[in-house]
Amino acid sequence: MSAPHPWLERIWSRLWETEQRGQLSHAIMLRGRAGFGKRDFAHSFISSLLCAAPNHDMACGQCRSCGLLAAGSHPDFLKIAPEEVGKSILIDHIRELGRYFALRPHYGSRKIALIEPADAMNRAAANALLKILEEPPPAGMLVLVADRPERLPATVRSRCQQYALDMARSSELIPENLDIPSRKLRAETLARAGGSPLRLKDFSEPGLAKAIDALPEAMAAVLFGSLSPLNAAAQFAKIDLVLMIDQCLRLLHEVLLLKNQASVPLAEAGRVPHASLQKMVLQLDSQKLAAFVQKLFELKQLRLSSGSLRELDLAESLWFDWQQVA
Ligand SMILES: [Zn+2]
């Protein structure tokens, strides 16, 4: 196995074959939902590209290049990331990238830069990057990793070779060694984890699973006025807020699909849409719902970027906002 996770094997082979044919673009984008191992994939792939003696498509782990990369001091590798989680990638970071690409490679034939998460670039940074993409340096290669590529300008996206990393078959996603007895239960656990195989293990914990399963009902109850936002916040106080927001987003995604009478992919994975979701569909105003989804993303960002905020305060504001969506 060369890819860092089994469900990424096929896409790994595809990329490596593209590289072997000499058709790998100077800019590639690894995109897809969180929890599928995009970051691990990017690091492994870059290691293989820089390795002096790869074993087929796998970095040897022994050469100077592999050693320098592991030590974080490879002169032909640059990682561009926000200064703190949740902050933006700024134009100064991209200027640094320009200076880096102006130099020749030290060892191999490439200088590689990883931008992660690329969707954290603000507008000025994305515009500066576009200039580099328009006139790529001969030895330069860019690897962009993005959960939400739609946040990037279309001009940037269109100049990257794109690879979706969250398209695996469900049979590839559920490791046999995870102790979940039936296929149905595994599919349900996967649905709870938002389809993300990397989170599967957390969600197989029965207490958490039960709490998460109570979420659609609580959301419906707040919407219909039979549960107060404060009581809802208290009921889920033990669940990590970011996890909670992800769960809300997942459920609202299903609600939107139901509203548009599209089929619900998670339901196909073995999960019947919750009756509470169906009730909510009739009650929701599309515009308000869109605004609420935006608020969820902002709240998540806020939580990730500041540790000093009281989690319960944020959770309460989430539930109060939700009450207004009806
Ligand atoms: Zn090596």
Side-chain angles (χ1 to χ4, degrees):
M1 191 179 91
S2 319
H5 303 291
W7 58 88
L8 297 174
E9 276 299 322
R10 280 184 299 140
I11 189 93
W12 178 280
S13 307
R14 220 181 101 203
L15 247 93
W16 195 255
E17 280 158 23
T18 309
E19 157 68 4
Q20 296 302 94
R21 286 197 306 270
Q23 289 171 351
L24 195 67
S25 167
H26 64 273
I28 63 171
M29 182 185 290
L30 307 175
R31 61 180 172 83
R33 286 167 291 159
F36 278 78
K38 291 190 297 299
R39 195 177 314 145
D40 298 342
F41 187 98
H43 281 281
S44 299
F45 192 65
I46 289 168
S47 310
S48 306
L49 290 177
L50 289 175
C51 175
N55 181 2
H56 293 289
D57 53 355
M58 214 163 64
C60 74
Q62 323 250 308
C63 69
R64 180 167 56 176
S65 201
C66 284
L68 285 168
L69 200 61
S73 52
H74 199 302
D76 297 330
F77 175 69
L78 176 71
K79 182 176 170 181
I80 306 260
E83 255 135 49
E84 278 175 56
V85 178
K87 294 258 159 72
S88 294
I89 292 176
L90 308 171
I91 190 162
D92 283 346
H93 296 112
I94 306 301
R95 288 198 181 117
E96 184 192 347
L97 177 66
R99 289 192 290 275
Y100 164 75
F101 273 156
L103 302 170
R104 289 163 170 276
H106 271 70
Y107 299 116
S109 55
R110 272 193 181 114
K111 283 183 92 69
I112 303 182
L114 170 67
I115 306 186
E116 195 252 303
D119 40 12
M121 278 188 288
N122 68 12
R123 186 179 290 256
N127 285 338
L129 182 71
L130 185 60
K131 295 227 166 64
I132 295 179
L133 288 169
E134 281 167 343
E135 287 176 50
M141 178 176 176
L142 276 161
V143 179
L144 280 67
V145 171
D147 291 356
R148 302 185 67 202
E150 71 280 3
R151 283 182 159 191
L152 290 165
T155 42
V156 167
R157 276 180 278 145
S158 67
R159 282 179 170 78
C160 299
Q161 227 168 38
Q162 298 198 28
Y163 296 91
L165 267 61
D166 59 353
M167 305 299 276
R169 303 183 187 112
S170 57
S171 60
E172 293 168 323
L173 292 178
I174 304 170
E176 289 298 326
N177 60 8
L178 201 64
D179 189 24
I180 308 176
S182 73
R183 240 184 95 191
K184 183 169 168 284
L185 259 180
R186 283 197 226 157
E188 282 175 9
T189 310
L190 189 62
R192 262 187 227 113
S196 300
L198 286 179
R199 295 190 190 149
L200 202 56
K201 225 179 155 68
D202 301 339
F203 287 87
S204 53
E205 199 257 301
L208 182 61
K210 221 174 144 193
I212 287 169
D213 283 351
L215 190 59
E217 215 167 303
M219 286 174 82
V222 169
L223 212 56
F224 293 108
S226 58
L227 178 66
S228 80
L230 288 179
N231 286 339
Q235 185 184 336
F236 295 97
K238 283 198 177 124
I239 302 184
D240 169 73
L241 186 67
V242 171
L243 177 71
M244 175 85 181
I245 292 174
D246 284 342
Q247 290 302 313
C248 286
L249 287 169
R250 174 176 70 81
L251 289 170
L252 293 177
H253 178 66
E254 290 186 20
V255 168
L256 276 172
L257 289 172
L258 284 172
K259 204 170 171 66
N260 296 320
Q261 302 189 325
S263 64
V264 179
L266 297 176
E268 283 159 18
R271 187 168 179 267
V272 180
H274 205 285
S276 306
L277 295 182
Q278 267 149 342
K279 267 195 287 174
M280 279 190 255
V281 170
L282 301 169
Q283 191 72 14
L284 290 169
D285 174 276
S286 296
Q287 273 190 339
K288 285 182 181 170
L289 184 60
F292 180 70
V293 167
Q294 189 55 38
K295 268 187 196 158
L296 284 180
F297 280 116
E298 284 165 13
L299 204 59
K300 183 173 168 181
Q301 228 35 2
L302 191 67
R303 179 74 195 103
L304 290 173
S305 59
S306 167
S308 61
L309 295 161
R310 265 190 72 214
E311 187 134 293
L312 192 60
D313 292 345
L314 295 176
E316 284 170 0
S317 85
L318 180 157
W319 285 102
F320 273 110
D321 286 341
W322 171 242
Q323 193 184 35
Q324 305 302 316
V325 177

